[in-house]
């Protein structure tokens, strides 16, 4: 048996994976997956300088205009 967590975007998945790793949040098991969102208290503890977005930047269709739109450039 397998289970999967679903996210609304690639960015959401990457962020959840990276943040969960920093916070030592377990993904659970196939029979009891842990796909819960990160709490506000956990969010405050994330070191954003350690979030690796290389996968997002390397993905096909990624556009620099997106970064400009959200004010990252």
């Amino acid at each position: 048996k397998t289970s999967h967590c679903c996210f609304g975007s690639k960015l959401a998945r990457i962020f959840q994976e990276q943040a969960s790793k920093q916070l030592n949040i377990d993904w659970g098991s196939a029979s009891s997956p842990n796909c819960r969102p990160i709490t506000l208290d956990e969010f405050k503890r994330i070191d954003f300088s350690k979030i690796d977005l290389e996968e997002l930047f390397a993905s096909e269709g990624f556009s620099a205009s997106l970064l400009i739109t959200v004010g990252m450039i």
Side-chain angles (χ1 to χ4, degrees):
K1 181 178 180 181
T2 61
S3 295
H4 302 277
C5 297
C6 296
F7 301 96
S9 68
K10 184 177 272 193
L11 175 60
R13 177 188 55 80
I14 293 169
F15 180 81
Q16 184 75 18
E17 288 174 350
Q18 296 283 321
S20 293
K21 187 184 305 182
Q22 277 190 41
L23 299 168
N24 294 315
I25 296 173
D26 188 302
W27 287 98
S29 65
S31 59
S32 181
N34 179 12
C35 297
R36 69 171 180 81
I38 292 175
T39 67
L40 182 57
D41 286 335
E42 290 167 336
F43 189 83
K44 292 175 184 178
R45 297 191 337 248
I46 295 170
D47 181 348
F48 286 89
S49 71
K50 294 182 180 178
I51 298 291
D52 180 4
L53 298 177
E54 183 177 339
E55 180 184 346
L56 178 67
F57 297 143
S59 66
E60 185 176 325
F62 182 80
S63 169
S65 63
L66 173 64
L67 291 178
I68 293 167
T69 301
V70 297
M72 293 180 71
I73 296 182

Short mmCIF file of all heavy atoms in Angstrom, two decimals:
data_model
loop_
_atom_site.label_atom_id
_atom_site.label_comp_id
_atom_site.label_asym_id
_atom_site.label_seq_id
_atom_site.Cartn_x
_atom_site.Cartn_y
_atom_site.Cartn_z
N LYS A 1 0.84 -1.17 0.00
CA LYS A 1 0.00 0.00 0.00
C LYS A 1 0.89 1.24 0.00
O LYS A 1 1.90 1.30 0.69
CB LYS A 1 -0.90 -0.01 1.23
CG LYS A 1 -1.84 1.17 1.32
CD LYS A 1 -2.74 1.08 2.55
CE LYS A 1 -3.64 2.28 2.56
NZ LYS A 1 -4.52 2.31 3.70
N THR A 2 0.50 2.23 -0.78
CA THR A 2 1.22 3.50 -0.80
C THR A 2 0.24 4.64 -0.57
O THR A 2 -0.96 4.50 -0.82
CB THR A 2 1.95 3.74 -2.14
OG1 THR A 2 0.98 3.78 -3.19
CG2 THR A 2 2.96 2.65 -2.43
N SER A 3 0.77 5.74 -0.11
CA SER A 3 -0.03 6.96 0.09
C SER A 3 0.77 8.13 -0.46
O SER A 3 2.00 8.09 -0.50
CB SER A 3 -0.31 7.20 1.57
OG SER A 3 -1.13 6.19 2.09
N HIS A 4 0.08 9.17 -0.85
CA HIS A 4 0.73 10.36 -1.37
C HIS A 4 0.08 11.60 -0.78
O HIS A 4 -1.14 11.64 -0.60
CB HIS A 4 0.61 10.43 -2.90
CG HIS A 4 1.18 9.24 -3.59
ND1 HIS A 4 2.52 9.11 -3.87
CD2 HIS A 4 0.59 8.12 -4.05
CE1 HIS A 4 2.73 7.97 -4.47
NE2 HIS A 4 1.57 7.34 -4.60
N CYS A 5 0.87 12.60 -0.48
CA CYS A 5 0.34 13.91 -0.09
C CYS A 5 0.23 14.75 -1.35
O CYS A 5 1.11 14.70 -2.20
CB CYS A 5 1.28 14.59 0.91
SG CYS A 5 1.45 13.70 2.47
N CYS A 6 -0.84 15.49 -1.49
CA CYS A 6 -1.06 16.33 -2.67
C CYS A 6 -0.95 17.80 -2.29
O CYS A 6 -1.42 18.21 -1.23
CB CYS A 6 -2.44 16.06 -3.27
SG CYS A 6 -2.62 14.38 -3.89
N PHE A 7 -0.34 18.58 -3.18
CA PHE A 7 -0.14 20.01 -2.94
C PHE A 7 -0.67 20.79 -4.13
O PHE A 7 -0.70 20.29 -5.25
CB PHE A 7 1.35 20.30 -2.73
CG PHE A 7 1.93 19.53 -1.57
CD1 PHE A 7 2.59 18.34 -1.76
CD2 PHE A 7 1.78 20.00 -0.28
CE1 PHE A 7 3.10 17.62 -0.70
CE2 PHE A 7 2.29 19.29 0.80
CZ PHE A 7 2.94 18.10 0.59
N GLY A 8 -1.06 22.04 -3.90
CA GLY A 8 -1.65 22.86 -4.93
C GLY A 8 -0.67 23.37 -5.97
O GLY A 8 -1.08 23.84 -7.03
N SER A 9 0.63 23.28 -5.67
CA SER A 9 1.63 23.75 -6.62
C SER A 9 2.96 23.08 -6.32
O SER A 9 3.16 22.52 -5.24
CB SER A 9 1.80 25.27 -6.53
OG SER A 9 2.38 25.62 -5.29
N LYS A 10 3.87 23.18 -7.28
CA LYS A 10 5.21 22.63 -7.07
C LYS A 10 5.90 23.38 -5.93
O LYS A 10 6.58 22.77 -5.10
CB LYS A 10 6.03 22.75 -8.35
CG LYS A 10 7.41 22.12 -8.24
CD LYS A 10 8.17 22.20 -9.54
CE LYS A 10 7.81 20.98 -10.36
NZ LYS A 10 8.72 20.78 -11.50
N LEU A 11 5.72 24.70 -5.87
CA LEU A 11 6.31 25.49 -4.79
C LEU A 11 5.81 25.02 -3.43
O LEU A 11 6.59 24.87 -2.50
CB LEU A 11 6.01 26.98 -4.98
CG LEU A 11 6.47 27.90 -3.85
CD1 LEU A 11 7.97 27.83 -3.66
CD2 LEU A 11 6.04 29.33 -4.14
N ALA A 12 4.51 24.77 -3.32
CA ALA A 12 3.94 24.31 -2.04
C ALA A 12 4.55 22.97 -1.63
O ALA A 12 4.89 22.78 -0.45
CB ALA A 12 2.43 24.18 -2.16
N ARG A 13 4.72 22.06 -2.59
CA ARG A 13 5.30 20.75 -2.27
C ARG A 13 6.75 20.89 -1.83
O ARG A 13 7.17 20.33 -0.81
CB ARG A 13 5.24 19.81 -3.47
CG ARG A 13 5.92 18.46 -3.18
CD ARG A 13 6.05 17.58 -4.39
NE ARG A 13 6.72 18.17 -5.52
CZ ARG A 13 8.05 18.27 -5.66
NH1 ARG A 13 8.85 17.88 -4.69
NH2 ARG A 13 8.57 18.79 -6.75
N ILE A 14 7.53 21.67 -2.59
CA ILE A 14 8.95 21.85 -2.25
C ILE A 14 9.09 22.50 -0.88
O ILE A 14 9.89 22.06 -0.05
CB ILE A 14 9.66 22.68 -3.34
CG1 ILE A 14 9.71 21.89 -4.65
CG2 ILE A 14 11.06 23.09 -2.90
CD1 ILE A 14 10.14 22.72 -5.85
N PHE A 15 8.30 23.53 -0.63
CA PHE A 15 8.36 24.21 0.67
C PHE A 15 8.01 23.24 1.80
O PHE A 15 8.71 23.18 2.81
CB PHE A 15 7.43 25.42 0.69
CG PHE A 15 7.48 26.14 2.00
CD1 PHE A 15 8.50 27.02 2.28
CD2 PHE A 15 6.52 25.90 2.98
CE1 PHE A 15 8.57 27.67 3.51
CE2 PHE A 15 6.58 26.54 4.20
CZ PHE A 15 7.60 27.43 4.46
N GLN A 16 6.94 22.48 1.64
CA GLN A 16 6.52 21.54 2.68
C GLN A 16 7.61 20.49 2.93
O GLN A 16 7.91 20.17 4.08
CB GLN A 16 5.21 20.84 2.28
CG GLN A 16 4.65 19.91 3.33
CD GLN A 16 4.01 20.63 4.50
OE1 GLN A 16 3.67 21.80 4.40
NE2 GLN A 16 3.84 19.94 5.60
N GLU A 17 8.21 19.98 1.86
CA GLU A 17 9.28 18.99 2.03
C GLU A 17 10.47 19.58 2.77
O GLU A 17 11.01 18.96 3.70
CB GLU A 17 9.73 18.47 0.66
CG GLU A 17 8.73 17.56 -0.01
CD GLU A 17 9.14 17.17 -1.42
OE1 GLU A 17 10.12 17.75 -1.97
OE2 GLU A 17 8.49 16.28 -1.99
N GLN A 18 10.90 20.77 2.36
CA GLN A 18 12.07 21.41 2.98
C GLN A 18 11.79 21.80 4.44
O GLN A 18 12.63 21.58 5.31
CB GLN A 18 12.47 22.65 2.17
CG GLN A 18 12.92 22.35 0.77
CD GLN A 18 14.31 21.80 0.70
OE1 GLN A 18 15.19 22.24 1.44
NE2 GLN A 18 14.53 20.85 -0.18
N ALA A 19 10.63 22.38 4.68
CA ALA A 19 10.28 22.80 6.05
C ALA A 19 10.12 21.59 6.96
O ALA A 19 10.58 21.61 8.11
CB ALA A 19 9.00 23.63 6.03
N SER A 20 9.47 20.55 6.47
CA SER A 20 9.29 19.34 7.28
C SER A 20 10.63 18.74 7.68
O SER A 20 10.80 18.26 8.80
CB SER A 20 8.45 18.31 6.52
OG SER A 20 7.14 18.78 6.36
N LYS A 21 11.58 18.77 6.75
CA LYS A 21 12.92 18.25 7.04
C LYS A 21 13.57 19.07 8.16
O LYS A 21 14.11 18.51 9.12
CB LYS A 21 13.78 18.29 5.79
CG LYS A 21 15.12 17.61 5.95
CD LYS A 21 16.01 17.75 4.72
CE LYS A 21 15.34 17.25 3.47
NZ LYS A 21 16.23 17.33 2.28
N GLN A 22 13.49 20.39 8.07
CA GLN A 22 14.07 21.26 9.11
C GLN A 22 13.42 21.04 10.46
O GLN A 22 14.09 21.07 11.49
CB GLN A 22 13.87 22.74 8.74
CG GLN A 22 14.86 23.30 7.80
CD GLN A 22 14.71 24.81 7.71
OE1 GLN A 22 14.50 25.50 8.71
NE2 GLN A 22 14.83 25.32 6.49
N LEU A 23 12.11 20.85 10.45
CA LEU A 23 11.34 20.74 11.70
C LEU A 23 11.23 19.32 12.22
O LEU A 23 10.58 19.07 13.23
CB LEU A 23 9.94 21.32 11.48
CG LEU A 23 9.90 22.81 11.09
CD1 LEU A 23 8.51 23.19 10.61
CD2 LEU A 23 10.33 23.68 12.26
N ASN A 24 11.87 18.39 11.52
CA ASN A 24 11.81 16.96 11.89
C ASN A 24 10.38 16.45 11.96
O ASN A 24 10.02 15.72 12.89
CB ASN A 24 12.55 16.70 13.20
CG ASN A 24 14.03 16.95 13.08
OD1 ASN A 24 14.66 16.53 12.11
ND2 ASN A 24 14.58 17.66 14.03
N ILE A 25 9.55 16.85 11.00
CA ILE A 25 8.17 16.38 10.92
C ILE A 25 8.16 15.12 10.07
O ILE A 25 8.60 15.13 8.92
CB ILE A 25 7.25 17.45 10.32
CG1 ILE A 25 7.20 18.69 11.23
CG2 ILE A 25 5.85 16.90 10.09
CD1 ILE A 25 6.46 19.87 10.65
N ASP A 26 7.65 14.07 10.62
CA ASP A 26 7.57 12.77 9.96
C ASP A 26 6.41 12.75 8.97
O ASP A 26 5.35 13.29 9.26
CB ASP A 26 7.37 11.69 11.04
CG ASP A 26 7.47 10.30 10.50
OD1 ASP A 26 6.69 9.96 9.60
OD2 ASP A 26 8.30 9.54 11.01
N TRP A 27 6.61 12.11 7.82
CA TRP A 27 5.54 12.00 6.82
C TRP A 27 4.57 10.87 7.14
O TRP A 27 3.57 10.69 6.45
CB TRP A 27 6.14 11.79 5.42
CG TRP A 27 6.78 13.03 4.89
CD1 TRP A 27 8.11 13.34 4.93
CD2 TRP A 27 6.13 14.14 4.28
NE1 TRP A 27 8.32 14.58 4.36
CE2 TRP A 27 7.11 15.10 3.95
CE3 TRP A 27 4.80 14.43 3.98
CZ2 TRP A 27 6.81 16.31 3.34
CZ3 TRP A 27 4.52 15.64 3.36
CH2 TRP A 27 5.51 16.56 3.05
N GLY A 28 4.85 10.11 8.18
CA GLY A 28 3.96 9.01 8.55
C GLY A 28 4.25 7.77 7.73
O GLY A 28 5.33 7.61 7.19
N SER A 29 3.24 6.92 7.62
CA SER A 29 3.39 5.66 6.90
C SER A 29 2.30 5.57 5.83
O SER A 29 1.40 6.40 5.77
CB SER A 29 3.25 4.49 7.87
OG SER A 29 1.93 4.47 8.41
N ALA A 30 2.37 4.52 5.02
CA ALA A 30 1.36 4.33 3.97
C ALA A 30 -0.03 4.17 4.57
O ALA A 30 -1.02 4.68 4.03
CB ALA A 30 1.72 3.12 3.12
N SER A 31 -0.12 3.51 5.71
CA SER A 31 -1.44 3.30 6.31
C SER A 31 -1.90 4.48 7.16
O SER A 31 -3.08 4.62 7.47
CB SER A 31 -1.43 2.03 7.17
OG SER A 31 -0.46 2.13 8.18
N SER A 32 -0.95 5.34 7.53
CA SER A 32 -1.30 6.51 8.34
C SER A 32 -0.42 7.70 7.94
O SER A 32 0.47 8.11 8.69
CB SER A 32 -1.11 6.17 9.82
OG SER A 32 -1.46 7.27 10.63
N PRO A 33 -0.67 8.28 6.74
CA PRO A 33 0.17 9.38 6.29
C PRO A 33 -0.03 10.66 7.11
O PRO A 33 -1.10 10.87 7.67
CB PRO A 33 -0.27 9.59 4.84
CG PRO A 33 -1.66 9.06 4.79
CD PRO A 33 -1.73 7.96 5.80
N ASN A 34 1.02 11.46 7.17
CA ASN A 34 0.96 12.74 7.88
C ASN A 34 1.12 13.85 6.84
O ASN A 34 2.23 14.26 6.53
CB ASN A 34 2.07 12.82 8.93
CG ASN A 34 2.06 14.14 9.68
OD1 ASN A 34 1.11 14.91 9.58
ND2 ASN A 34 3.11 14.40 10.41
N CYS A 35 0.01 14.33 6.31
CA CYS A 35 0.02 15.38 5.28
C CYS A 35 -0.48 16.71 5.83
O CYS A 35 -0.93 17.57 5.08
CB CYS A 35 -0.85 14.94 4.09
SG CYS A 35 -0.25 13.48 3.25
N ARG A 36 -0.38 16.88 7.12
CA ARG A 36 -0.93 18.08 7.74
C ARG A 36 -0.12 19.31 7.35
O ARG A 36 1.05 19.22 7.00
CB ARG A 36 -0.92 17.93 9.25
CG ARG A 36 0.48 17.93 9.85
CD ARG A 36 0.43 18.01 11.37
NE ARG A 36 1.73 18.01 11.98
CZ ARG A 36 2.52 19.08 12.10
NH1 ARG A 36 2.15 20.24 11.61
NH2 ARG A 36 3.69 18.99 12.70
N PRO A 37 -0.74 20.48 7.40
CA PRO A 37 0.00 21.71 7.11
C PRO A 37 0.92 22.07 8.27
O PRO A 37 0.78 21.56 9.38
CB PRO A 37 -1.10 22.76 6.95
CG PRO A 37 -2.24 22.23 7.76
CD PRO A 37 -2.16 20.73 7.66
N ILE A 38 1.85 22.95 7.99
CA ILE A 38 2.75 23.45 9.02
C ILE A 38 1.99 24.48 9.86
O ILE A 38 1.30 25.34 9.33
CB ILE A 38 3.99 24.07 8.36
CG1 ILE A 38 4.79 22.95 7.70
CG2 ILE A 38 4.84 24.84 9.35
CD1 ILE A 38 5.96 23.40 6.91
N THR A 39 2.13 24.37 11.17
CA THR A 39 1.44 25.31 12.06
C THR A 39 2.16 26.67 12.08
O THR A 39 3.31 26.78 11.66
CB THR A 39 1.38 24.77 13.50
OG1 THR A 39 2.72 24.74 14.03
CG2 THR A 39 0.76 23.39 13.56
N LEU A 40 1.50 27.66 12.59
CA LEU A 40 2.09 28.99 12.69
C LEU A 40 3.34 28.97 13.57
O LEU A 40 4.36 29.58 13.23
CB LEU A 40 1.07 30.00 13.22
CG LEU A 40 1.54 31.44 13.33
CD1 LEU A 40 2.03 31.97 11.98
CD2 LEU A 40 0.43 32.32 13.86
N ASP A 41 3.28 28.26 14.68
CA ASP A 41 4.45 28.17 15.56
C ASP A 41 5.62 27.50 14.84
O ASP A 41 6.77 27.93 14.99
CB ASP A 41 4.12 27.40 16.84
CG ASP A 41 3.27 28.21 17.80
OD1 ASP A 41 3.33 29.46 17.74
OD2 ASP A 41 2.55 27.61 18.61
N GLU A 42 5.34 26.45 14.06
CA GLU A 42 6.40 25.79 13.29
C GLU A 42 6.94 26.73 12.21
O GLU A 42 8.14 26.80 11.99
CB GLU A 42 5.86 24.50 12.66
CG GLU A 42 5.56 23.43 13.67
CD GLU A 42 4.76 22.27 13.12
OE1 GLU A 42 4.03 22.46 12.12
OE2 GLU A 42 4.85 21.18 13.70
N PHE A 43 6.04 27.44 11.55
CA PHE A 43 6.43 28.37 10.49
C PHE A 43 7.43 29.40 11.01
O PHE A 43 8.39 29.75 10.32
CB PHE A 43 5.17 29.06 9.95
CG PHE A 43 5.40 29.87 8.71
CD1 PHE A 43 5.42 29.27 7.46
CD2 PHE A 43 5.60 31.24 8.79
CE1 PHE A 43 5.64 30.02 6.31
CE2 PHE A 43 5.81 31.99 7.66
CZ PHE A 43 5.83 31.38 6.41
N LYS A 44 7.24 29.86 12.22
CA LYS A 44 8.12 30.85 12.83
C LYS A 44 9.53 30.31 13.07
O LYS A 44 10.48 31.08 13.17
CB LYS A 44 7.55 31.33 14.17
CG LYS A 44 6.29 32.14 14.03
CD LYS A 44 5.72 32.48 15.40
CE LYS A 44 4.40 33.20 15.31
NZ LYS A 44 3.83 33.47 16.64
N ARG A 45 9.66 28.98 13.13
CA ARG A 45 10.96 28.36 13.41
C ARG A 45 11.73 27.99 12.14
O ARG A 45 12.87 27.53 12.22
CB ARG A 45 10.76 27.11 14.27
CG ARG A 45 10.18 27.41 15.63
CD ARG A 45 10.22 26.24 16.60
NE ARG A 45 10.29 24.92 16.05
CZ ARG A 45 9.31 24.00 16.12
NH1 ARG A 45 8.17 24.29 16.69
NH2 ARG A 45 9.48 22.80 15.60
N ILE A 46 11.15 28.19 10.98
CA ILE A 46 11.81 27.81 9.73
C ILE A 46 12.92 28.80 9.40
O ILE A 46 12.73 30.01 9.47
CB ILE A 46 10.78 27.76 8.57
CG1 ILE A 46 9.76 26.65 8.83
CG2 ILE A 46 11.48 27.53 7.23
CD1 ILE A 46 8.57 26.68 7.90
N ASP A 47 14.07 28.28 9.03
CA ASP A 47 15.18 29.10 8.56
C ASP A 47 15.05 29.17 7.04
O ASP A 47 15.44 28.25 6.32
CB ASP A 47 16.51 28.48 8.97
CG ASP A 47 17.71 29.30 8.53
OD1 ASP A 47 17.54 30.24 7.71
OD2 ASP A 47 18.82 28.99 8.99
N PHE A 48 14.49 30.27 6.55
CA PHE A 48 14.21 30.40 5.12
C PHE A 48 15.48 30.44 4.28
O PHE A 48 15.44 30.14 3.09
CB PHE A 48 13.32 31.62 4.87
CG PHE A 48 11.91 31.39 5.29
CD1 PHE A 48 11.51 31.68 6.59
CD2 PHE A 48 10.98 30.85 4.42
CE1 PHE A 48 10.22 31.44 7.00
CE2 PHE A 48 9.68 30.61 4.83
CZ PHE A 48 9.30 30.91 6.12
N SER A 49 16.60 30.79 4.87
CA SER A 49 17.86 30.78 4.13
C SER A 49 18.29 29.35 3.77
O SER A 49 19.14 29.16 2.90
CB SER A 49 18.97 31.48 4.92
OG SER A 49 19.36 30.70 6.03
N LYS A 50 17.68 28.36 4.42
CA LYS A 50 18.02 26.96 4.15
C LYS A 50 16.99 26.27 3.26
O LYS A 50 17.13 25.09 2.98
CB LYS A 50 18.15 26.20 5.47
CG LYS A 50 19.32 26.67 6.30
CD LYS A 50 19.44 25.88 7.57
CE LYS A 50 20.63 26.37 8.38
NZ LYS A 50 20.76 25.65 9.65
N ILE A 51 15.97 27.00 2.81
CA ILE A 51 14.99 26.42 1.89
C ILE A 51 15.61 26.39 0.50
O ILE A 51 16.00 27.43 -0.04
CB ILE A 51 13.67 27.23 1.88
CG1 ILE A 51 13.01 27.22 3.26
CG2 ILE A 51 12.72 26.71 0.81
CD1 ILE A 51 12.46 25.89 3.70
N ASP A 52 15.74 25.21 -0.07
CA ASP A 52 16.38 25.01 -1.37
C ASP A 52 15.31 24.97 -2.46
O ASP A 52 14.54 24.01 -2.54
CB ASP A 52 17.17 23.70 -1.35
CG ASP A 52 17.87 23.41 -2.66
OD1 ASP A 52 17.83 24.25 -3.59
OD2 ASP A 52 18.47 22.33 -2.76
N LEU A 53 15.26 26.02 -3.28
CA LEU A 53 14.26 26.11 -4.36
C LEU A 53 14.86 25.77 -5.73
O LEU A 53 14.25 26.06 -6.75
CB LEU A 53 13.65 27.51 -4.39
CG LEU A 53 12.90 27.92 -3.12
CD1 LEU A 53 12.41 29.36 -3.24
CD2 LEU A 53 11.73 26.97 -2.86
N GLU A 54 16.03 25.12 -5.74
CA GLU A 54 16.68 24.78 -7.00
C GLU A 54 15.77 23.97 -7.92
O GLU A 54 15.73 24.21 -9.13
CB GLU A 54 17.97 24.01 -6.72
CG GLU A 54 18.74 23.69 -7.98
CD GLU A 54 20.05 22.98 -7.69
OE1 GLU A 54 20.56 23.09 -6.56
OE2 GLU A 54 20.56 22.33 -8.59
N GLU A 55 15.03 23.04 -7.37
CA GLU A 55 14.12 22.23 -8.19
C GLU A 55 13.07 23.10 -8.88
O GLU A 55 12.73 22.89 -10.05
CB GLU A 55 13.42 21.18 -7.33
CG GLU A 55 12.46 20.30 -8.11
CD GLU A 55 11.69 19.32 -7.24
OE1 GLU A 55 12.07 19.12 -6.06
OE2 GLU A 55 10.72 18.76 -7.74
N LEU A 56 12.57 24.10 -8.19
CA LEU A 56 11.57 25.00 -8.78
C LEU A 56 12.20 25.83 -9.90
O LEU A 56 11.65 25.94 -10.98
CB LEU A 56 10.99 25.92 -7.71
CG LEU A 56 9.97 26.94 -8.19
CD1 LEU A 56 8.70 26.25 -8.66
CD2 LEU A 56 9.66 27.94 -7.10
N PHE A 57 13.38 26.40 -9.64
CA PHE A 57 14.03 27.25 -10.63
C PHE A 57 14.44 26.46 -11.87
O PHE A 57 14.46 27.01 -12.98
CB PHE A 57 15.26 27.94 -10.04
CG PHE A 57 14.92 28.88 -8.91
CD1 PHE A 57 15.76 28.99 -7.82
CD2 PHE A 57 13.79 29.65 -8.94
CE1 PHE A 57 15.47 29.86 -6.77
CE2 PHE A 57 13.47 30.52 -7.91
CZ PHE A 57 14.32 30.62 -6.83
N ALA A 58 14.78 25.19 -11.70
CA ALA A 58 15.22 24.36 -12.81
C ALA A 58 14.06 23.76 -13.60
O ALA A 58 14.26 23.22 -14.67
CB ALA A 58 16.12 23.25 -12.29
N SER A 59 12.85 23.88 -13.09
CA SER A 59 11.73 23.22 -13.73
C SER A 59 11.34 23.89 -15.04
O SER A 59 11.47 25.10 -15.22
CB SER A 59 10.51 23.18 -12.80
OG SER A 59 10.03 24.48 -12.56
N GLU A 60 10.89 23.07 -15.94
CA GLU A 60 10.44 23.55 -17.25
C GLU A 60 9.26 24.51 -17.05
O GLU A 60 8.36 24.25 -16.26
CB GLU A 60 10.00 22.37 -18.10
CG GLU A 60 9.63 22.74 -19.51
CD GLU A 60 9.31 21.53 -20.34
OE1 GLU A 60 9.93 20.48 -20.14
OE2 GLU A 60 8.42 21.65 -21.18
N GLY A 61 9.28 25.61 -17.74
CA GLY A 61 8.19 26.56 -17.65
C GLY A 61 8.37 27.60 -16.56
O GLY A 61 7.57 28.51 -16.45
N PHE A 62 9.43 27.48 -15.75
CA PHE A 62 9.67 28.49 -14.73
C PHE A 62 10.08 29.78 -15.41
O PHE A 62 10.88 29.80 -16.32
CB PHE A 62 10.76 28.06 -13.74
CG PHE A 62 10.98 29.06 -12.66
CD1 PHE A 62 10.11 29.12 -11.58
CD2 PHE A 62 12.02 29.95 -12.72
CE1 PHE A 62 10.30 30.06 -10.58
CE2 PHE A 62 12.21 30.89 -11.73
CZ PHE A 62 11.35 30.94 -10.66
N SER A 63 9.52 30.87 -14.99
CA SER A 63 9.76 32.14 -15.65
C SER A 63 10.28 33.19 -14.67
O SER A 63 9.79 33.30 -13.56
CB SER A 63 8.45 32.63 -16.26
OG SER A 63 8.55 33.95 -16.69
N ALA A 64 11.26 33.97 -15.12
CA ALA A 64 11.77 35.06 -14.29
C ALA A 64 10.69 36.09 -14.03
O ALA A 64 10.72 36.78 -13.02
CB ALA A 64 12.97 35.70 -14.96
N SER A 65 9.70 36.16 -14.92
CA SER A 65 8.63 37.13 -14.71
C SER A 65 7.84 36.80 -13.46
O SER A 65 7.29 37.68 -12.81
CB SER A 65 7.70 37.21 -15.93
OG SER A 65 7.05 35.98 -16.13
N LEU A 66 7.79 35.52 -13.09
CA LEU A 66 7.12 35.13 -11.85
C LEU A 66 7.84 35.75 -10.66
O LEU A 66 7.22 36.29 -9.76
CB LEU A 66 7.09 33.60 -11.72
CG LEU A 66 6.57 33.05 -10.39
CD1 LEU A 66 5.10 33.43 -10.19
CD2 LEU A 66 6.74 31.55 -10.35
N LEU A 67 9.16 35.71 -10.67
CA LEU A 67 9.94 36.30 -9.57
C LEU A 67 9.71 37.81 -9.50
O LEU A 67 9.60 38.37 -8.42
CB LEU A 67 11.43 36.00 -9.75
CG LEU A 67 11.85 34.56 -9.56
CD1 LEU A 67 13.33 34.43 -9.82
CD2 LEU A 67 11.50 34.06 -8.19
N ILE A 68 9.65 38.45 -10.64
CA ILE A 68 9.42 39.88 -10.68
C ILE A 68 8.03 40.19 -10.12
O ILE A 68 7.86 41.10 -9.33
CB ILE A 68 9.59 40.43 -12.11
CG1 ILE A 68 11.05 40.31 -12.54
CG2 ILE A 68 9.10 41.87 -12.21
CD1 ILE A 68 11.29 40.52 -14.02
N THR A 69 7.06 39.37 -10.51
CA THR A 69 5.67 39.57 -10.05
C THR A 69 5.57 39.49 -8.54
O THR A 69 4.87 40.28 -7.92
CB THR A 69 4.74 38.52 -10.69
OG1 THR A 69 4.82 38.66 -12.11
CG2 THR A 69 3.31 38.70 -10.24
N VAL A 70 6.26 38.54 -7.93
CA VAL A 70 6.17 38.37 -6.49
C VAL A 70 7.24 39.18 -5.74
O VAL A 70 7.36 39.08 -4.54
CB VAL A 70 6.21 36.89 -6.05
CG1 VAL A 70 5.04 36.13 -6.60
CG2 VAL A 70 7.52 36.24 -6.45
N GLY A 71 8.02 39.97 -6.48
CA GLY A 71 8.99 40.86 -5.85
C GLY A 71 10.25 40.20 -5.36
O GLY A 71 10.90 40.71 -4.46
N MET A 72 10.63 39.07 -5.93
CA MET A 72 11.84 38.39 -5.48
C MET A 72 13.08 38.90 -6.21
O MET A 72 14.19 38.60 -5.81
CB MET A 72 11.71 36.89 -5.67
CG MET A 72 10.64 36.28 -4.74
SD MET A 72 10.48 34.50 -4.95
CE MET A 72 12.00 33.92 -4.22
N ILE A 73 12.91 39.65 -7.29
CA ILE A 73 14.07 40.20 -8.00
C ILE A 73 14.02 41.71 -7.83
O ILE A 73 13.03 42.33 -7.95
CB ILE A 73 14.05 39.85 -9.51
CG1 ILE A 73 14.17 38.35 -9.70
CG2 ILE A 73 15.20 40.55 -10.20
CD1 ILE A 73 14.22 37.90 -11.14
#
